[in-house]
């Protein structure tokens, strides 16, 4: 609880912020003091950008820069429908104007780039602005329906995109490793992960101060344990803006390390005091049991864990990236049984210490820590 209070006191631990950096420093210091081999993995976040679109002498500055590089480009404004393949006649070297809808933003952008467009503007298909992020080699700008229709009336005219990079930011993962008692470097690896960042405006006590504090405590308790397997704690950044830290971490593993990786216990929102969240859900990507969930069920029975464990098919946290690498993975999260509802404080300023249950935090530590220990003691 003291560690959790420390995390909350840093303020919203937004990816790339000073509060996230303070969190990284605190965890590093702590893992080193417990005798772990600690590595900080820094990675780039998408740059903060702003920009304008100018067509026929009219400048639109209410834009969202959704992806791609900064800079200034000009070209003919070409109407490209919904951005499907075949919608891009004459787009080569020009600026494609696409309406939102039907297919994902990323697909529209990929089609535009494949057709040789030098820039992309996507306008909303309903009143108001549009908010999205894509990967792109060319600038991609989102605009409101109103602005988009104004631009559409000037298709065929010269258009200019001016995009400035305001700031580049980085985040980090902290990776803490403990080898088996015999020091071997070819043992199975058990991953314990928790995201350290939170959304803007939210103290992130439960999401995910709880999982972070639980992982710190499990690391403290296991520091001197004699284990037959390797354990790696990954405290990952930038989950809330697209699972970026865990993606960077999993991508950094060698094929040999992935092959040795047998399990990922991911903790995200494990200690809400919200009364109806009486169940501990184990979320897997396919909704099927795997080594993580079966181990947790075995250990819950051994410990007499008070809460019911419920298996659910669900992503939306860092276990996705472990799963995608072929590693048995599950996220542990408290929800209301039956409805699978989350607490109403989720992603709000009310995700505070006041709504944390010390008892449930302890239960998560016992269950996940016990499961890791149980698995790590099997030869
Ligand atoms: N802890 C939350 C939500 C969550 C819900 C995790 C259910 C696991 C199961 C997580 O930090 C979050 O908000 N995730 C985002 C998705 C992510 C890819 C940005 C979400 O659910 O909107
Ligand atoms: Zn979360």
């Amino acid at each position: 609880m003291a560690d959790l209070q420390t995390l909350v006191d840093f303020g919203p631990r937004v990816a790339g912020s000073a509060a996230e950096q303070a969190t990284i420093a605190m965890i590093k210091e702590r893992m080193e003091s417990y005798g772990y081999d600690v590595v900080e993995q820094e990675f780039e976040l998408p740059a903060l950008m702003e920009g304008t679109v100018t067509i026929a002498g009219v400048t639109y500055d209410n834009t969202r820069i959704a992806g791609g590089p900064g800079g200034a480009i000009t070209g003919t404004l070409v109407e490209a429908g919904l951005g499907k393949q075949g919608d891009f006649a004459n787009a080569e070297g020009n600026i494609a104007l696409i309406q939102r809808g039907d297919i994902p933003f990323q697909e529209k952008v990929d089609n535009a780039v494949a057709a040789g467009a030098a820039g992309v503007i996507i306008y909303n298909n309903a009143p108001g602005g549009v908010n999205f992020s894509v990967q792109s080699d060319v600038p991609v700008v989102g605009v409101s329906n109103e602005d988009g229709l104004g631009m559409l009336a000037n298709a065929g005219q010269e258009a200019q995109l001016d995009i400035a990079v305001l700031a580049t930011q980085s985040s980090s993962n902290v990776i803490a490793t403990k080898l088996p008692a015999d020091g071997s470097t070819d043992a199975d690896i058990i991953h314990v992960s928790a995201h350290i960042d939170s959304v803007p405006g939210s103290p992130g006590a439960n999401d995910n101060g709880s999982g972070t504090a639980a992982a710190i405590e499990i690391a403290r308790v296991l520091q001197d344990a004699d284990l037959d397997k390797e354990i790696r704690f990954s405290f990952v950044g930038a989950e809330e803006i697209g699972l970026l830290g865990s993606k960077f971490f999993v991508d950094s593993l060698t094929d040999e390390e992935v092959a040795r990786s047998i399990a990922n216990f991911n903790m995200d929102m494990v200690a809400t005091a919200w009364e109806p969240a009486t169940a501990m859900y184990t979320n897997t990507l396919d909704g099927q049991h795997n080594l993580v969930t079966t181990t947790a069920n075995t250990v819950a029975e051994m410990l007499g864990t008070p809460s019911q464990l419920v298996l659910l098919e669900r992503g939306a946290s860092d276990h996705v990236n472990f799963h995608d690498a072929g590693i048995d993975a599950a996220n542990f999260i408290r929800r209301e049984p039956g409805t699978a509802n989350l607490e109403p404080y989720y992603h709000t300023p009310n995700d505070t210490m006041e709504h944390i249950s010390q008892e449930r935090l302890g239960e998560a530590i016992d269950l996940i820590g016990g499961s890791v220990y149980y698995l790590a003691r099997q030869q």
Side-chain angles (χ1 to χ4, degrees):
M1 287 297 276
D3 286 347
L4 179 49
Q5 182 71 60
T6 300
L7 294 168
V8 168
D9 287 345
F10 288 140
R13 300 175 301 284
V14 177
S17 70
E20 195 196 37
Q21 287 298 321
T23 306
I24 291 161
M26 175 254 194
I27 294 169
K28 255 175 96 170
E29 187 266 321
R30 193 62 69 83
M31 291 302 116
E32 276 161 6
S33 80
Y34 296 157
Y36 286 79
D37 176 25
V38 181
V39 173
E40 178 178 343
Q41 275 189 337
E42 192 177 348
F43 56 94
E44 294 256 303
L45 297 177
L48 288 176
M49 300 199 279
E50 70 173 17
T52 59
V53 180
T54 304
I55 303 165
V58 180
T59 295
Y60 302 84
D61 54 15
N62 198 4
T63 59
R64 149 123 198 156
I65 311 307
I73 57 161
T74 54
T76 304
L77 185 70
V78 176
E79 203 254 301
L82 288 163
K84 297 182 181 175
Q85 275 177 16
D87 284 345
F88 292 96
N90 307 320
E92 175 125 36
N94 289 319
I95 297 175
L97 179 63
I98 304 173
Q99 191 184 51
R100 179 185 190 178
D102 255 37
I103 59 171
F105 291 109
Q106 186 68 55
E107 211 173 307
K108 295 173 191 281
V109 171
D110 291 346
N111 290 340
V113 171
V120 177
I121 303 168
I122 299 180
Y123 65 99
N124 207 353
N125 56 359
V130 62
N131 198 341
F132 62 98
S133 295
V134 288
Q135 300 291 326
S136 174
D137 295 336
V138 305
V140 181
V141 177
V143 300
S144 69
N145 183 254
E146 297 77 3
D147 285 354
L149 295 176
M151 294 175 188
L152 194 59
N154 288 296
Q157 306 253 13
E158 191 81 345
Q160 178 158 349
L161 302 184
D162 286 294
I163 296 169
V165 176
L166 298 181
T168 54
Q169 292 184 295
S170 72
S171 176
S172 293
N173 302 322
V174 178
I175 312 301
T177 302
K178 178 174 161 62
L179 294 178
D182 66 5
S184 60
T185 54
D186 59 356
D188 290 346
I189 305 172
I190 299 166
H191 296 275
V192 182
S193 60
H195 75 84
I196 61 173
D197 62 314
S198 50
V199 296
S202 175
N206 195 40
D207 186 10
N208 186 29
S210 65
T212 305
I216 293 171
E217 179 64 0
I218 292 168
R220 186 188 70 79
V221 172
L222 292 181
Q223 63 183 305
D224 296 320
D226 277 350
L227 304 176
D228 298 303
K229 296 185 166 48
E230 180 174 331
I231 46 178
R232 281 195 204 183
F233 291 88
S234 47
F235 297 88
V236 295
E239 187 266 1
E240 299 285 7
I241 56 172
L243 316 179
L244 301 184
S246 55
K247 173 93 172 86
F248 190 86
F249 170 60
V250 172
D251 283 351
S252 79
L253 297 171
T254 64
D255 290 348
E256 183 269 332
E257 288 173 310
V258 170
R260 287 197 284 132
S261 296
I262 60 166
N264 165 236
F265 292 82
N266 182 59
M267 292 180 283
D268 192 355
M269 306 177 75
V270 293
T272 182
W274 186 57
E275 219 267 54
T278 56
M280 178 67 91
Y281 275 67
T282 56
N283 293 348
T284 63
L285 272 296
D286 54 8
Q288 303 296 311
H289 279 290
N290 59 35
L291 183 62
V292 177
T293 63
T294 55
T295 302
N297 280 287
T298 301
V299 170
E301 195 157 321
M302 290 167 70
L303 295 175
T305 298
S307 299
Q308 176 198 4
L309 267 56
V310 180
L311 181 66
L312 181 71
E313 179 179 334
R314 180 81 213 258
S317 189
D318 297 299
H319 60 307
V320 171
N321 288 314
F322 291 88
H323 169 92
D324 286 352
I327 301 166
D328 280 16
N331 178 52
F332 293 78
I333 181 168
R334 273 203 170 269
R335 291 166 178 265
E336 181 178 44
T339 65
N341 283 335
L342 291 176
E343 68 271 21
Y345 326 116
Y346 167 57
H347 284 186
T348 76
N350 300 322
D351 183 5
T352 57
M353 287 304 281
E354 207 181 308
H355 298 121
I356 290 292
S357 160
Q358 179 169 353
E359 201 180 324
R360 287 173 171 181
L361 181 60
E363 187 183 317
I365 291 164
D366 288 345
L367 175 64
I368 289 97
S371 298
V372 170
Y373 181 72
Y374 179 84
L375 206 52
R377 292 274 291 181
Q378 287 177 2
Q379 284 177 337

